[in-house]
CSV table of all heavy atoms in Angstrom, one decimal:
chain,number,residue,atom,x,y,z
A,1,SER,N,-1.4,12.6,-6.8
A,1,SER,CA,-1.5,13.0,-8.2
A,1,SER,C,-0.5,14.1,-8.6
A,1,SER,O,0.1,14.0,-9.6
A,1,SER,CB,-3.0,13.4,-8.5
A,1,SER,OG,-3.1,13.9,-9.9
A,2,GLU,N,-0.4,15.1,-7.7
A,2,GLU,CA,0.5,16.2,-8.0
A,2,GLU,C,1.9,15.7,-7.9
A,2,GLU,O,2.8,16.1,-8.7
A,2,GLU,CB,0.2,17.3,-6.9
A,2,GLU,CG,-1.1,18.0,-7.1
A,2,GLU,CD,-1.5,18.9,-6.0
A,2,GLU,OE1,-0.7,19.1,-5.1
A,2,GLU,OE2,-2.6,19.6,-6.1
A,3,HIS,N,2.2,14.9,-6.9
A,3,HIS,CA,3.6,14.4,-6.7
A,3,HIS,C,4.1,13.6,-7.9
A,3,HIS,O,5.2,13.7,-8.4
A,3,HIS,CB,3.7,13.6,-5.4
A,3,HIS,CG,5.0,12.8,-5.3
A,3,HIS,ND1,6.2,13.4,-5.0
A,3,HIS,CD2,5.3,11.5,-5.4
A,3,HIS,CE1,7.1,12.5,-5.0
A,3,HIS,NE2,6.6,11.3,-5.2
A,4,SER,N,3.2,12.7,-8.4
A,4,SER,CA,3.5,11.8,-9.5
A,4,SER,C,3.4,12.4,-10.9
A,4,SER,O,3.8,11.8,-11.9
A,4,SER,CB,2.7,10.5,-9.4
A,4,SER,OG,1.3,10.8,-9.6
A,5,LYS,N,2.6,13.5,-10.9
A,5,LYS,CA,2.3,14.2,-12.2
A,5,LYS,C,1.4,13.2,-13.1
A,5,LYS,O,1.4,13.3,-14.3
A,5,LYS,CB,3.5,14.6,-13.0
A,5,LYS,CG,4.3,15.7,-12.2
A,5,LYS,CD,5.5,16.2,-13.0
A,5,LYS,CE,6.2,17.3,-12.3
A,5,LYS,NZ,6.6,17.0,-10.9
A,6,LEU,N,0.7,12.3,-12.4
A,6,LEU,CA,-0.3,11.5,-13.1
A,6,LEU,C,-1.7,12.1,-12.9
A,6,LEU,O,-2.0,12.4,-11.8
A,6,LEU,CB,-0.3,10.0,-12.5
A,6,LEU,CG,1.0,9.2,-12.8
A,6,LEU,CD1,0.9,7.9,-12.0
A,6,LEU,CD2,1.1,8.9,-14.3
A,7,PRO,N,-2.5,12.2,-14.0
A,7,PRO,CA,-3.8,12.7,-13.8
A,7,PRO,C,-4.6,11.7,-12.9
A,7,PRO,O,-4.4,10.5,-12.9
A,7,PRO,CB,-4.4,12.7,-15.2
A,7,PRO,CG,-3.5,11.8,-16.0
A,7,PRO,CD,-2.1,11.8,-15.4
A,8,MET,N,-5.6,12.3,-12.2
A,8,MET,CA,-6.3,11.6,-11.2
A,8,MET,C,-7.0,10.3,-11.8
A,8,MET,O,-7.0,9.3,-11.2
A,8,MET,CB,-7.4,12.5,-10.5
A,8,MET,CG,-7.9,11.9,-9.3
A,8,MET,SD,-6.8,12.1,-7.9
A,8,MET,CE,-6.9,13.8,-7.5
A,9,GLN,N,-7.5,10.5,-13.0
A,9,GLN,CA,-8.2,9.4,-13.6
A,9,GLN,C,-7.3,8.2,-13.8
A,9,GLN,O,-7.7,7.0,-13.7
A,9,GLN,CB,-8.8,9.9,-15.0
A,9,GLN,CG,-9.7,8.9,-15.7
A,9,GLN,CD,-10.3,9.4,-16.9
A,9,GLN,OE1,-10.0,10.5,-17.3
A,9,GLN,NE2,-11.1,8.6,-17.6
A,10,LYS,N,-6.1,8.4,-14.2
A,10,LYS,CA,-5.1,7.3,-14.5
A,10,LYS,C,-4.6,6.8,-13.1
A,10,LYS,O,-4.4,5.6,-13.0
A,10,LYS,CB,-4.0,7.8,-15.3
A,10,LYS,CG,-3.0,6.7,-15.7
A,10,LYS,CD,-1.9,7.2,-16.7
A,10,LYS,CE,-1.0,6.0,-17.1
A,10,LYS,NZ,0.0,6.5,-18.0
A,11,LEU,N,-4.4,7.7,-12.1
A,11,LEU,CA,-3.9,7.2,-10.9
A,11,LEU,C,-4.8,6.3,-10.1
A,11,LEU,O,-4.5,5.3,-9.5
A,11,LEU,CB,-3.5,8.5,-10.0
A,11,LEU,CG,-3.0,8.2,-8.6
A,11,LEU,CD1,-1.7,7.4,-8.6
A,11,LEU,CD2,-2.8,9.5,-7.9
A,12,ARG,N,-6.1,6.7,-10.1
A,12,ARG,CA,-7.1,6.0,-9.3
A,12,ARG,C,-7.2,4.5,-9.5
A,12,ARG,O,-7.4,3.7,-8.6
A,12,ARG,CB,-8.5,6.6,-9.5
A,12,ARG,CG,-8.8,7.8,-8.7
A,12,ARG,CD,-10.3,8.1,-8.6
A,12,ARG,NE,-10.6,9.4,-8.0
A,12,ARG,CZ,-10.9,10.5,-8.8
A,12,ARG,NH1,-11.0,10.4,-10.1
A,12,ARG,NH2,-11.1,11.6,-8.2
A,13,GLN,N,-7.0,4.1,-10.8
A,13,GLN,CA,-7.1,2.6,-11.1
A,13,GLN,C,-6.0,1.8,-10.4
A,13,GLN,O,-6.1,0.6,-10.3
A,13,GLN,CB,-7.0,2.4,-12.6
A,13,GLN,CG,-5.7,2.9,-13.2
A,13,GLN,CD,-5.8,2.8,-14.8
A,13,GLN,OE1,-6.0,1.8,-15.3
A,13,GLN,NE2,-5.6,4.0,-15.4
A,14,HIS,N,-4.9,2.5,-9.9
A,14,HIS,CA,-3.8,1.7,-9.3
A,14,HIS,C,-3.9,1.8,-7.8
A,14,HIS,O,-3.2,1.1,-7.1
A,14,HIS,CB,-2.5,2.3,-9.8
A,14,HIS,CG,-2.3,2.2,-11.3
A,14,HIS,ND1,-2.1,1.0,-11.9
A,14,HIS,CD2,-2.2,3.1,-12.2
A,14,HIS,CE1,-2.0,1.2,-13.2
A,14,HIS,NE2,-2.0,2.5,-13.4
A,15,LEU,N,-4.7,2.7,-7.2
A,15,LEU,CA,-4.7,2.9,-5.8
A,15,LEU,C,-5.6,1.9,-5.1
A,15,LEU,O,-6.6,1.5,-5.6
A,15,LEU,CB,-5.2,4.3,-5.5
A,15,LEU,CG,-4.3,5.5,-5.9
A,15,LEU,CD1,-4.9,6.8,-5.5
A,15,LEU,CD2,-2.9,5.4,-5.3
A,16,PHE,N,-5.3,1.6,-3.8
A,16,PHE,CA,-6.2,1.0,-2.9
A,16,PHE,C,-6.4,1.9,-1.7
A,16,PHE,O,-5.5,2.6,-1.3
A,16,PHE,CB,-5.7,-0.4,-2.5
A,16,PHE,CG,-4.4,-0.4,-1.7
A,16,PHE,CD1,-4.4,-0.2,-0.3
A,16,PHE,CD2,-3.2,-0.7,-2.4
A,16,PHE,CE1,-3.2,-0.2,0.4
A,16,PHE,CE2,-2.0,-0.7,-1.6
A,16,PHE,CZ,-2.0,-0.4,-0.3
A,17,ILE,N,-7.6,1.8,-1.1
A,17,ILE,CA,-7.9,2.6,0.0
A,17,ILE,C,-8.5,1.7,1.1
A,17,ILE,O,-9.5,1.0,0.8
A,17,ILE,CB,-8.9,3.7,-0.3
A,17,ILE,CG1,-8.3,4.7,-1.4
A,17,ILE,CG2,-9.4,4.5,0.9
A,17,ILE,CD1,-9.4,5.6,-2.0
A,18,LEU,N,-7.9,1.7,2.3
A,18,LEU,CA,-8.4,0.8,3.4
A,18,LEU,C,-8.7,1.7,4.6
A,18,LEU,O,-7.9,2.7,4.8
A,18,LEU,CB,-7.4,-0.2,3.7
A,18,LEU,CG,-7.0,-1.2,2.6
A,18,LEU,CD1,-5.8,-2.1,3.1
A,18,LEU,CD2,-8.2,-2.1,2.2
A,19,LEU,N,-9.8,1.4,5.3
A,19,LEU,CA,-10.2,2.3,6.4
A,19,LEU,C,-10.2,1.5,7.7
A,19,LEU,O,-10.4,0.3,7.7
A,19,LEU,CB,-11.6,2.8,6.1
A,19,LEU,CG,-11.9,3.5,4.8
A,19,LEU,CD1,-13.3,4.0,4.7
A,19,LEU,CD2,-10.9,4.7,4.7
A,20,HIS,N,-9.9,2.2,8.7
A,20,HIS,CA,-9.7,1.7,10.1
A,20,HIS,C,-9.3,0.3,10.3
A,20,HIS,O,-8.1,0.0,10.1
A,20,HIS,CB,-11.0,2.0,10.9
A,20,HIS,CG,-10.6,1.9,12.4
A,20,HIS,ND1,-9.6,2.6,13.0
A,20,HIS,CD2,-11.1,1.1,13.3
A,20,HIS,CE1,-9.5,2.3,14.2
A,20,HIS,NE2,-10.4,1.3,14.5
A,21,GLU,N,-10.2,-0.7,10.7
A,21,GLU,CA,-9.7,-2.0,11.0
A,21,GLU,C,-9.0,-2.6,9.8
A,21,GLU,O,-8.0,-3.3,10.0
A,21,GLU,CB,-10.9,-2.9,11.3
A,21,GLU,CG,-11.6,-2.6,12.6
A,21,GLU,CD,-12.7,-1.6,12.5
A,21,GLU,OE1,-12.8,-1.0,11.4
A,21,GLU,OE2,-13.4,-1.4,13.5
A,22,ASP,N,-9.4,-2.4,8.6
A,22,ASP,CA,-8.7,-2.9,7.4
A,22,ASP,C,-7.3,-2.3,7.2
A,22,ASP,O,-6.4,-2.9,6.9
A,22,ASP,CB,-9.5,-2.7,6.1
A,22,ASP,CG,-10.8,-3.5,6.1
A,22,ASP,OD1,-10.8,-4.6,6.8
A,22,ASP,OD2,-11.8,-3.1,5.5
A,23,ALA,N,-7.2,-1.0,7.5
A,23,ALA,CA,-6.0,-0.3,7.5
A,23,ALA,C,-5.0,-0.8,8.5
A,23,ALA,O,-3.8,-1.0,8.3
A,23,ALA,CB,-6.2,1.2,7.6
A,24,VAL,N,-5.5,-1.0,9.7
A,24,VAL,CA,-4.7,-1.5,10.8
A,24,VAL,C,-4.2,-2.9,10.5
A,24,VAL,O,-3.0,-3.2,10.6
A,24,VAL,CB,-5.6,-1.6,12.1
A,24,VAL,CG1,-4.8,-2.3,13.2
A,24,VAL,CG2,-5.9,-0.1,12.6
A,25,MET,N,-5.0,-3.8,10.1
A,25,MET,CA,-4.6,-5.1,9.7
A,25,MET,C,-3.6,-5.1,8.5
A,25,MET,O,-2.6,-5.9,8.5
A,25,MET,CB,-5.8,-6.0,9.4
A,25,MET,CG,-5.4,-7.4,8.9
A,25,MET,SD,-4.3,-8.3,10.0
A,25,MET,CE,-5.6,-9.2,11.0
A,26,HIS,N,-3.8,-4.2,7.6
A,26,HIS,CA,-2.9,-4.1,6.4
A,26,HIS,C,-1.5,-3.8,6.9
A,26,HIS,O,-0.5,-4.5,6.5
A,26,HIS,CB,-3.4,-3.1,5.4
A,26,HIS,CG,-2.5,-2.9,4.3
A,26,HIS,ND1,-2.4,-3.9,3.2
A,26,HIS,CD2,-1.6,-2.0,3.9
A,26,HIS,CE1,-1.5,-3.5,2.3
A,26,HIS,NE2,-1.0,-2.4,2.7
A,27,LEU,N,-1.3,-2.8,7.8
A,27,LEU,CA,0.0,-2.5,8.2
A,27,LEU,C,0.6,-3.6,9.0
A,27,LEU,O,1.8,-3.9,8.9
A,27,LEU,CB,0.0,-1.2,9.1
A,27,LEU,CG,1.4,-0.7,9.6
A,27,LEU,CD1,2.3,-0.5,8.5
A,27,LEU,CD2,1.2,0.5,10.5
A,28,MET,N,-0.2,-4.3,9.8
A,28,MET,CA,0.4,-5.5,10.5
A,28,MET,C,0.9,-6.6,9.5
A,28,MET,O,2.0,-7.1,9.7
A,28,MET,CB,-0.8,-6.2,11.4
A,28,MET,CG,-1.4,-5.3,12.3
A,28,MET,SD,-0.4,-5.0,13.8
A,28,MET,CE,-1.5,-3.9,14.8
A,29,ARG,N,0.1,-6.8,8.4
A,29,ARG,CA,0.5,-7.8,7.4
A,29,ARG,C,1.8,-7.4,6.7
A,29,ARG,O,2.6,-8.2,6.4
A,29,ARG,CB,-0.6,-8.1,6.4
A,29,ARG,CG,-1.9,-8.7,7.1
A,29,ARG,CD,-2.9,-9.1,6.1
A,29,ARG,NE,-2.6,-10.4,5.5
A,29,ARG,CZ,-2.1,-10.5,4.3
A,29,ARG,NH1,-1.9,-9.5,3.5
A,29,ARG,NH2,-1.8,-11.7,3.8
A,30,VAL,N,1.8,-6.1,6.4
A,30,VAL,CA,3.0,-5.5,5.7
A,30,VAL,C,4.3,-5.7,6.6
A,30,VAL,O,5.3,-6.2,6.1
A,30,VAL,CB,2.8,-4.0,5.4
A,30,VAL,CG1,4.2,-3.4,5.0
A,30,VAL,CG2,1.8,-3.9,4.3
A,31,ALA,N,4.2,-5.4,7.9
A,31,ALA,CA,5.3,-5.5,8.8
A,31,ALA,C,5.7,-6.9,8.9
A,31,ALA,O,6.9,-7.2,9.1
A,31,ALA,CB,5.0,-4.9,10.1
A,32,ALA,N,4.8,-7.8,8.9
A,32,ALA,CA,5.1,-9.3,9.0
A,32,ALA,C,5.6,-9.9,7.7
A,32,ALA,O,6.0,-11.1,7.7
A,32,ALA,CB,3.9,-10.0,9.5
A,33,GLY,N,5.6,-9.2,6.6
A,33,GLY,CA,6.1,-9.7,5.4
A,33,GLY,C,5.0,-10.5,4.6
A,33,GLY,O,5.4,-11.2,3.7
A,34,LEU,N,3.8,-10.5,5.1
A,34,LEU,CA,2.7,-11.3,4.5
A,34,LEU,C,2.1,-10.6,3.2
A,34,LEU,O,1.4,-11.2,2.5
A,34,LEU,CB,1.6,-11.6,5.5
A,34,LEU,CG,2.0,-12.3,6.7
A,34,LEU,CD1,0.8,-12.7,7.5
A,34,LEU,CD2,2.9,-13.5,6.4
A,35,ASP,N,2.5,-9.3,3.0
A,35,ASP,CA,1.9,-8.7,1.8
A,35,ASP,C,3.0,-8.4,0.8
A,35,ASP,O,2.8,-7.7,-0.2
A,35,ASP,CB,1.3,-7.3,2.2
A,35,ASP,CG,0.4,-6.7,1.2
A,35,ASP,OD1,-0.6,-7.3,0.8
A,35,ASP,OD2,0.8,-5.6,0.6
A,36,SER,N,4.2,-9.0,1.1
A,36,SER,CA,5.4,-8.7,0.2
A,36,SER,C,5.3,-9.5,-1.1
A,36,SER,O,4.7,-10.6,-1.1
A,36,SER,CB,6.7,-9.0,1.0
A,36,SER,OG,6.8,-8.2,2.1
A,37,LEU,N,6.1,-9.1,-2.1
A,37,LEU,CA,6.2,-9.9,-3.3
A,37,LEU,C,6.9,-11.2,-2.9
A,37,LEU,O,6.5,-12.3,-3.4
A,37,LEU,CB,7.1,-9.1,-4.3
A,37,LEU,CG,7.6,-9.8,-5.5
A,37,LEU,CD1,6.4,-10.2,-6.4
A,37,LEU,CD2,8.6,-9.0,-6.3
A,38,VAL,N,7.8,-11.2,-2.0
A,38,VAL,CA,8.5,-12.4,-1.5
A,38,VAL,C,7.9,-12.6,-0.1
A,38,VAL,O,8.2,-11.9,0.8
A,38,VAL,CB,10.0,-12.2,-1.4
A,38,VAL,CG1,10.7,-13.4,-0.9
A,38,VAL,CG2,10.6,-11.8,-2.8
A,39,LEU,N,7.0,-13.6,0.0
A,39,LEU,CA,6.3,-13.9,1.2
A,39,LEU,C,7.3,-14.1,2.4
A,39,LEU,O,8.1,-15.0,2.3
A,39,LEU,CB,5.4,-15.1,1.1
A,39,LEU,CG,4.4,-15.4,2.2
A,39,LEU,CD1,3.4,-14.2,2.3
A,39,LEU,CD2,3.6,-16.6,1.9
A,40,GLY,N,7.2,-13.3,3.4
A,40,GLY,CA,8.1,-13.5,4.6
A,40,GLY,C,9.4,-12.8,4.5
A,40,GLY,O,10.2,-13.0,5.4
A,41,GLU,N,9.6,-12.0,3.5
A,41,GLU,CA,10.9,-11.3,3.4
A,41,GLU,C,11.1,-10.4,4.6
A,41,GLU,O,10.2,-9.8,5.1
A,41,GLU,CB,11.0,-10.6,2.1
A,41,GLU,CG,10.0,-9.5,1.9
A,41,GLU,CD,10.6,-8.1,2.0
A,41,GLU,OE1,11.8,-8.0,2.4
A,41,GLU,OE2,9.9,-7.1,1.7
A,42,GLY,N,12.4,-10.3,5.0
A,42,GLY,CA,12.7,-9.6,6.3
A,42,GLY,C,12.9,-8.1,6.2
A,42,GLY,O,12.8,-7.4,7.2
A,43,GLN,N,13.3,-7.6,5.0
A,43,GLN,CA,13.7,-6.2,4.9
A,43,GLN,C,12.6,-5.3,5.2
A,43,GLN,O,12.8,-4.2,5.7
A,43,GLN,CB,14.3,-6.0,3.5
A,43,GLN,CG,15.0,-4.7,3.4
A,43,GLN,CD,15.7,-4.5,2.0
A,43,GLN,OE1,15.6,-5.4,1.1
A,43,GLN,NE2,16.5,-3.5,1.9
A,44,ILE,N,11.3,-5.7,4.9
A,44,ILE,CA,10.2,-4.8,5.1
A,44,ILE,C,10.0,-4.3,6.5
A,44,ILE,O,9.6,-3.2,6.8
A,44,ILE,CB,8.9,-5.4,4.5
A,44,ILE,CG1,7.7,-4.4,4.5
A,44,ILE,CG2,8.5,-6.6,5.3
A,44,ILE,CD1,7.9,-3.2,3.6
A,45,LEU,N,10.3,-5.2,7.5
A,45,LEU,CA,10.2,-4.8,8.9
A,45,LEU,C,11.1,-3.6,9.2
A,45,LEU,O,10.7,-2.6,9.9
A,45,LEU,CB,10.5,-5.9,9.8
A,45,LEU,CG,10.3,-5.6,11.3
A,45,LEU,CD1,8.9,-5.1,11.6
A,45,LEU,CD2,10.6,-6.9,12.2
A,46,ALA,N,12.3,-3.6,8.7
A,46,ALA,CA,13.2,-2.5,8.9
A,46,ALA,C,12.7,-1.2,8.2
A,46,ALA,O,12.9,-0.1,8.7
A,46,ALA,CB,14.6,-2.9,8.4
A,47,GLN,N,12.0,-1.4,7.1
A,47,GLN,CA,11.5,-0.3,6.4
A,47,GLN,C,10.3,0.3,7.1
A,47,GLN,O,10.1,1.6,7.1
A,47,GLN,CB,11.1,-0.7,4.9
A,47,GLN,CG,12.3,-1.0,4.1
A,47,GLN,CD,12.0,-1.8,2.8
A,47,GLN,OE1,11.0,-2.6,2.8
A,47,GLN,NE2,12.8,-1.7,1.8
A,48,VAL,N,9.5,-0.5,7.8
A,48,VAL,CA,8.4,0.0,8.6
A,48,VAL,C,8.9,0.7,9.8
A,48,VAL,O,8.4,1.8,10.2
A,48,VAL,CB,7.5,-1.2,9.0
A,48,VAL,CG1,6.4,-0.7,10.1
A,48,VAL,CG2,6.7,-1.8,7.8
């Protein structure tokens, strides 16, 4: 909120929060390109 200068109320509607097993699987999916706008895109692995 402080970094973006967006009030918490406005910011919260855009955020997702994942805990432990869900957070672990999410990073795996991101690295594999399964959560990308372009399914399977390769650049995200380099970004991870």
Side-chain angles (χ1 to χ4, degrees):
S1 177
E2 292 171 1
H3 169 72
S4 63
K5 298 180 174 57
L6 288 174
M8 197 74 76
Q9 187 177 2
K10 185 173 182 181
L11 176 63
R12 275 201 191 99
Q13 62 185 301
H14 300 292
L15 293 180
F16 63 83
I17 298 167
L18 300 172
L19 305 180
H20 194 57
E21 289 88 350
D22 292 333
V24 171
M25 175 55 93
H26 179 73
L27 181 56
M28 303 281 180
R29 297 188 79 256
V30 168
L34 301 189
D35 195 66
S36 297
L37 173 64
V38 179
L39 189 63
E41 63 106 351
Q43 194 173 5
I44 187 63
L45 182 57
Q47 292 164 331
V48 170

